[in-house]
Amino acid sequence: MVTIDDIKAAADRIRDVAVRTPLLPAGWADPDRPLWIKPESLQAIGAFKVRGAFNALARLDEPVRARGVVTYSSGNHAQAVAFAAAAFGVPAHVVMPEETPDIKIEATRGYGAEVVICGPGQREIVAAQVVKRTGGVLVPPFDHPDVIAGQGTIGLEIAHDLPDVENVLVPVSGGGLAAGVGTAIKALCPNARVYGVEPELAADTVEGLRLGHRVDWSIEDRNRTIADGLRSQPSDLTFAHLQQVLDGMITVTEDEIRDAVRQLAYQARLVAEPSGATPLAAYLKQATPPGRTVVVISGGNIEPPMLREILAG
């Protein structure tokens, strides 16, 4: 299990690469429910994933890293690994499902990675084939302690900037972000509550935590949500962390997600992708107890036509 010491060590490794995003007070929010926004959309790649990817690559022995890296991702981790690989001067091969938004595929290629497109639900299988073909090392999007520790640096920053935080809302997909942030918050702000947020159409973690074990939703079911970054499912490693650090899960509808994207654009002047806007959607439906609340806006990589359509709605 990842510890607070692991997360502090990760913060030292990524200090010169990851943006230390601010906590933005939302003066337009309910004054009885004070709100701060953690805009990870301001990272160089437009999402929090750079933290975990860079920490994982930095932890590799140099001869291993020099062989190149391989990953699979629906978009933001793909860009993060490509970005980190370019910083270390090593090749990157990235497997991305065919339903990935074009903006994320082109951005990944823009960082110099070789992109391999696969069918729905085939990411891990194809990535294993690429590892065998290239000799590269796999850097998974969430199922790795170094990735979790890197994402946990967000929790360190929240705890430093708002030590009396009472609620922290984090999107859940593969679970690496919530696992890392939750570990940091529980260590440094033990009275704070940490909530994971999922779309109703991809709420496998909600069901799994209720039952006490991971469950499997079909990729066809999970692909129904507009939140393309929240279509993965936790691994054994991340699920074990979520069982320890989450105080609850909240689900949000597709309309609530769209409304949150609009609110962030019009009220906070921030561009958020649907996945990143889910914590604000949970806040807006008042799904947590009153108190000082932070929402982690995990990313802002949204296709321009989708953004125009949501804002027009």
Side-chain angles (χ1 to χ4, degrees):
M1 300 292 281
V2 172
T3 68
I4 188 63
D5 289 338
D6 296 327
I7 296 171
K8 289 178 177 178
D12 289 336
R13 291 187 199 99
I14 71 173
R15 181 167 288 114
D16 295 331
V17 177
V19 176
R20 193 194 186 291
T21 52
L23 275 189
L24 303 176
W28 43 270
D30 183 348
D32 294 328
R33 306 170 68 86
L35 176 66
W36 286 261
I37 296 169
K38 182 72 167 167
E40 286 295 295
S41 52
L42 301 182
Q43 294 292 344
I45 65 156
F48 75 97
K49 290 280 192 176
V50 68
R51 296 173 182 264
F54 196 89
N55 186 55
L57 265 70
R59 288 272 289 158
L60 293 172
D61 291 336
E62 189 169 350
V64 174
R65 189 170 57 227
R67 301 203 309 262
V69 293
V70 178
T71 195
Y72 52 89
S73 167
S74 61
N76 287 332
H77 180 70
Q79 294 173 71
V81 169
F83 177 86
F88 282 105
V90 300
H93 292 78
V94 180
V95 178
M96 306 181 79
E98 59 190 17
E99 66 268 23
T100 302
D102 288 342
I103 190 172
K104 296 183 178 182
I105 294 174
E106 292 310 312
T108 302
R109 288 182 173 137
Y111 291 120
E114 179 179 321
V115 174
V116 179
I117 303 298
C118 70
Q122 298 297 305
R123 302 185 313 172
E124 292 90 338
I125 295 171
V126 175
Q129 294 169 350
V130 175
V131 167
K132 186 175 181 179
R133 172 171 61 84
T134 65
V137 60
L138 183 68
V139 180
F142 48 84
D143 188 25
H144 197 289
D146 293 334
V147 174
I148 295 171
Q151 321 305 24
T153 59
I154 294 171
L156 283 186
E157 295 170 10
I158 293 171
H160 180 273
D161 293 347
L162 192 68
D164 57 353
V165 64
E166 294 170 275
N167 300 308
V168 179
L169 277 63
V170 190
V172 173
S173 181
L177 175 61
V181 171
T183 297
I185 292 296
K186 290 300 182 181
L188 301 175
C189 306
N191 294 323
R193 298 172 290 263
V194 181
Y195 295 93
V197 185
E198 278 186 318
E200 284 186 359
L201 297 182
D204 54 282
T205 304
V206 172
E207 182 181 0
L209 289 174
R210 177 174 58 82
L211 296 174
H213 59 81
R214 289 196 309 127
V215 298
D216 183 42
W217 283 33
S218 73
I219 187 64
E220 291 78 17
D221 282 345
R222 288 179 276 129
N223 277 353
R224 294 174 299 164
T225 179
I226 192 176
D228 61 276
L230 302 185
R231 294 170 178 166
S232 294
Q233 301 184 117
S235 65
D236 288 338
L237 177 64
T238 56
F239 190 81
H241 283 78
L242 299 181
Q243 287 180 303
Q244 288 194 8
V245 303
L246 291 186
D247 294 281
M249 288 288 300
I250 301 164
T251 59
V252 291
T253 67
E254 300 296 289
D255 285 343
E256 288 167 344
I257 294 171
R258 289 170 179 268
D259 183 57
V261 171
R262 284 192 289 270
Q263 290 269 10
L264 286 164
Y266 292 135
Q267 301 288 353
R269 313 300 193 268
L270 291 170
V271 173
E273 60 191 274
S275 305
T278 55
L280 180 64
Y283 168 86
L284 292 172
K285 70 189 295 182
Q286 299 189 6
T288 63
R292 292 173 292 277
T293 300
V294 170
V295 293
V296 178
I297 306 304
S298 57
N301 295 316
I302 183 172
E303 292 270 26
M306 178 182 288
L307 179 61
R308 288 194 295 269
E309 181 263 318
I310 291 175
L311 294 182

